[in-house]
Amino acid sequence: MIPDLLVVGAGLAGGLLALEAADRGAKVRIISTAPMATPISYGGVQLAALEQWQRLEKRHGFLGLEPAELLLYWLEDQKPNIPPGAQRLEPSQWRGLEPLLVDAPLGGVVAMPYARVDPLVLTEKLTKALAAAGVQQRNLLLQGLLLEEGVVRGCKTKAGEEILAQHTVLAAGAATAPLLASIGCSLPLLDCSWAALLQLEAGLLDDFFCGQASDQPKAIVMPMELKRMERERSTSGAQLICDGGIAPWGKAKVFGQASFFGEPIGHIDKPNPAVMRAGLKEAAKSLLPQQLWPSLAELPMALQPVAFSRDGLALVGPISRFKGLSVFTAFSAAFSLVPGLAPVLAAAILDPKRSMEALSNLELLPERLPAI
């Protein structure tokens, strides 16, 4: 039996889309093509998306949702543009919420209402939820898409196996562009960069806190202005951008996000890990205590390619030139956006007459995807 839906990519986007389609009675197959960036995300959830995560957990069980504080900081030489609803904190307050900020030379910090999904918990629970929903899951290396008379029929593995489906969705992050290229399609808005962060091991933090770091308050620390987002909107600029941030990560924490951009657009090789680590170490001097700096050279570093959109809006919906093909990728603030968009796209694919208008009203696609 040919499945109704083939989802390529088993991270946050692909996993939640597959669950939504299965909940609507579709036969769904999901393919994991490469390591996803989901496990190394901060997992921040804006309160507007909280209801969607609660809906998912009511249906599929605990997925890692938990309370959190969002701390937005600026440095002493910066002038902040404080968002509405933010609460300005005293140094004793922000250090209480994130003890690693004890020595940080900050100009100020505000707190925003927030929540988070633990990415490590989600990665584990999502696999089980997909299995319980009857979604077939496979790990495969893909050669490209199968195209027949303008209709995408599925994909072909590097081992030569053809995997057929009535509709294929590319939710494969940075692997999306090469798969589109296999049928002669390119999306000008779609690009990718390499992202890296340092894993602050639990033992190191336990020594620093004089207790277990996992018992500390859950807080996500981010700069008021993300240099990465500004760089994504530009067609030129520095290749390496580092934003200092701190987030819980299982029983430990992660620090920073280094982003490496290719030139020209769309062409990027894996960066030298030493360059990424050096950028993160420099950014750490604005946030982390000095006694942790010597450890940064030895800490594990996660390095993954990530997809982004040049105009800042996700790529969600059908590609007009090819029947049977949609994309679901390039999210900014994915943990806030994907839970709400996944049911809309699933409905649009499975019941186009009723739901495609709702998808168009999102102004994410199809008008931003040219009829190539």
Side-chain angles (χ1 to χ4, degrees), residues 38-91:
T38 300
I40 64 168
S41 301
Y42 280 15
V45 177
Q46 298 171 6
L47 291 193
L50 191 58
E51 184 177 345
Q52 293 290 348
W53 278 106
Q54 291 169 337
R55 173 185 62 84
L56 284 166
E57 291 200 329
K58 184 176 181 180
R59 174 69 178 84
H60 299 286
F62 180 61
L63 298 174
L65 181 66
E66 60 184 4
E69 294 278 353
L70 173 62
L71 307 182
L72 299 175
Y73 72 86
W74 61 94
L75 302 180
E76 291 177 337
D77 60 348
Q78 295 177 325
K79 294 183 178 180
N81 183 17
I82 298 176
Q87 176 190 0
R88 190 154 184 170
L89 301 180
E90 297 297 327

Side-chain angles (χ1 to χ4, degrees), residues 39-41 116 118-120 197 199-200 247-254:
I40 64 168
S41 301
R116 72 182 291 267
D118 188 319
L120 298 183
L197 51 74
Q199 299 169 10
L200 304 177
W249 195 70
K251 294 183 178 180
K253 293 180 185 285
V254 290

Side-chain angles (χ1 to χ4, degrees), residues 159-181:
E161 179 184 359
E162 293 187 351
I163 301 175
L164 305 179
Q166 295 173 6
H167 197 100
T168 300
V169 180
L170 300 183
T176 300
L179 290 171
L180 290 172

Side-chain angles (χ1 to χ4, degrees), residues 7-9 11-18 20 168-174 176 180 187 190 307 314-319 325-331 334 337-346 349 359 362 364-365 369:
V7 179
V8 180
L12 172 70
L16 294 192
L17 177 63
E20 297 291 353
T168 300
V169 180
L170 300 183
T176 300
L180 290 172
L187 302 180
L190 180 60
L315 300 177
V316 180
I319 296 181
L325 178 65
S326 294
V327 292
F328 194 49
T329 191
F331 295 96
L337 292 176
V338 169
L341 292 175
V344 177
L345 180 57
I349 292 170
L359 181 65
L362 293 175
L364 299 173
L365 237 111
L369 285 188

Side-chain angles (χ1 to χ4, degrees), residues 21 91 103 112 150 174 233 303 315 328 361:
D103 295 330
M112 295 286 291
R233 310 298 181 267
L303 179 62
L315 300 177
F328 194 49
N361 289 340

